[in-house]
Amino acid sequence: MTLTTALRPAEADVLSRIEMAAPRGGEIATVFDTRPLAPFSEAGMGFITALSKLILTDRSLRAFPELIAFAHWMRKRNLLDLKTAFETRNDGRLMAARGLALHIAPANVDTIFLYSVLLSLLAGNSNIVRISSRRSAQIELLIGLIDQLLADPEHAETAARLAVVRYERDDAVNAAISARADLRVLWGGDTSVMALRAIAAQAHTKDVSFPDRWSLAVLDAAAIVEADADRFEILVTDFVNDTYWFGQMACSSPRMVVWRGDDLTVQKASVRFWARAEDLAIRFRDEIFAVDYVNKLVTADEMAIDGHATHISAGRKSNILNVVRFDIGARPDMSLHTGSGLFLETRVETLRELAPALERKTQSVVSFGISRADWVTFLSQERPVGIDRIVPVGQALTFASVWDGMDLLTEFTREITISV
């Protein structure tokens, strides 16, 4: 890319390696020199609302439910609710943007960057977003819509404060941008996040990191057995959507299923549940490749060899679903999990038995048949390590402004105190 804004020669040379995805023909240096806006500015709200409308009216995007879900989440009504909650929470306080934010988007869930970037825009920040060089149909369509909006004079203020870029993994480029960033939002595995955090930034730069996490489902066996046909169908459909989108590799997609109940009831619930889940998961078969099937089998065998698995089973009709059963006191290493329809299954009589199986990397619990009161009691009495959110089955992938236990609008802003 060509850099027209004055930069140091060495800095300009490094940043020339960047491909500007949106706005095409734009300059990353422009974002460096643009002052942030106030939180929930008309410019930020207007751009996000316009992007939401474009996605919802673009027929070509209907094949990508994750983008449609994003568009619904960023519709004007929800933005106004976020604004009201932000202003209520900060009543009497003067909140300001942090400044320039660098976002490093993950490669495995390639639309997740949208949420943190647009929340950062709402916070008033200027933003540079590095997306994966690996291209996908939904990302290319999405970048096209963003570029279309940024070319509109109506969104000139946002165009000066947003750069979506591509470049190969390059510590020199990351360092050049980090040297100017006030905020870094880092998505990726533990190794990637630690490597990025090791790159020097300004002394005041704040890092908000989203490293490796894993999630689980906790289901009441009696509630599954007793569910009528319609309720059961919705439940299993929602569970399959929670898990098979993104190849089960989203941090919030359940990889483990914990049944609550006695042994006989759990057996009945498990048989009923997995049989229907396999039928519904077949629609994802084109997204699972031969190597994924092999990896699942190898991982399951390794868990058995290590003494963690008590039973291994595949689907009745296909290998799209694999279940590894284990005793709650001997949970397999979740870092070995390969996704693509591999489920770890165990049983507890009470929620209290669940605590030892959790760790700091445990993020979401999708729950069915267990009351809010039961969860509050468990969390209050056991104070387990991990668990940042508990949601109904079907909402694992629903993003919220509070994520990984952090209120992102708070993280992306700063408070100015006035004592005179």
Side-chain angles (χ1 to χ4, degrees), residues 219 221 224 257-261 266 269-270 273-274 345-348:
L219 312 175
I224 297 289
V257 172
V258 178
W259 297 100
R260 184 181 70 171
V266 167
S270 178
F273 184 82
W274 292 124
E345 179 186 55
T346 192
R347 182 185 74 86
V348 296

Side-chain angles (χ1 to χ4, degrees), residues 145-411:
L145 294 181
I146 292 174
D147 184 62
Q148 176 184 330
L149 285 178
L150 294 179
D152 186 336
E154 182 180 348
H155 301 295
E157 285 193 274
T158 299
R161 292 172 173 82
L162 175 61
V164 182
V165 302
R166 283 190 169 102
Y167 53 90
E168 297 301 325
R169 292 186 179 183
D170 191 321
D171 285 349
V173 176
N174 288 329
I177 302 175
S178 293
R180 291 177 174 267
D182 303 289
L183 169 69
R184 298 190 298 187
V185 184
L186 311 176
W187 297 84
D190 288 356
T191 301
S192 296
V193 167
M194 292 300 292
L196 289 165
R197 288 171 62 181
I199 294 172
Q202 299 182 85
H204 70 269
T205 301
K206 180 181 182 65
D207 285 345
V208 176
S209 302
F210 300 96
D212 286 333
R213 306 299 298 276
W214 61 269
S215 299
L216 67 154
V218 181
L219 312 175
D220 184 79
I224 297 289
V225 171
E226 295 166 5
D228 63 38
D230 290 342
R231 182 69 188 91
F232 179 73
E233 185 72 8
I234 293 170
L235 169 72
V236 184
T237 300
D238 286 345
F239 177 84
V240 168
N241 288 335
D242 278 347
T243 50
Y244 280 85
W245 284 117
F246 306 115
Q248 205 187 2
M249 296 308 291
C251 59
S252 56
S253 292
R255 302 176 190 179
M256 183 167 84
V257 172
V258 178
W259 297 100
R260 184 181 70 171
D262 63 77
D263 192 43
L264 180 60
T265 306
V266 167
Q267 288 182 36
K268 292 179 180 178
S270 178
V271 169
R272 184 187 189 195
F273 184 82
W274 292 124
R276 188 57 185 150
E278 180 191 4
D279 291 339
L280 294 172
I282 290 295
R283 65 191 173 94
F284 291 94
R285 61 183 178 275
D286 292 339
E287 299 173 30
I288 300 178
F289 303 101
V291 66
D292 298 317
Y293 291 117
V294 173
N295 287 339
K296 287 197 295 181
L297 294 175
V298 170
T299 299
D301 289 343
E302 287 178 347
M303 290 177 178
I305 292 170
D306 291 340
H308 295 292
T310 61
H311 182 75
I312 299 172
S313 63
R316 301 164 303 158
K317 307 171 185 176
S318 69
N319 194 29
I320 197 164
L321 184 150
N322 302 75
V323 179
V324 176
R325 193 172 305 152
F326 68 98
D327 291 329
I328 190 64
R331 175 180 59 78
D333 182 354
M334 298 303 290
S335 68
L336 300 176
H337 200 284
T338 57
S340 301
L342 176 64
F343 297 94
L344 309 183
E345 179 186 55
T346 192
R347 182 185 74 86
V348 296
E349 292 277 355
T350 67
L351 291 182
R352 188 172 187 176
E353 299 169 58
L354 176 63
L358 307 176
E359 59 179 348
R360 187 62 192 92
K361 291 185 177 183
T362 309
Q363 188 214 57
S364 299
V365 174
V366 297
S367 172
F368 177 77
I370 299 169
S371 69
R372 176 185 176 85
D374 283 352
W375 280 118
V376 170
T377 298
F378 167 70
L379 294 171
S380 301
Q381 293 182 353
E382 300 303 318
R383 301 190 181 280
V385 176
I387 300 185
D388 290 320
R389 60 196 287 262
I390 300 173
V391 297
V393 175
Q395 294 187 24
L397 301 175
T398 301
F399 197 84
S401 58
V402 177
W403 197 255
D404 277 10
M406 296 178 286
D407 185 318
L408 297 186
L409 285 170
T410 298
E411 299 292 331

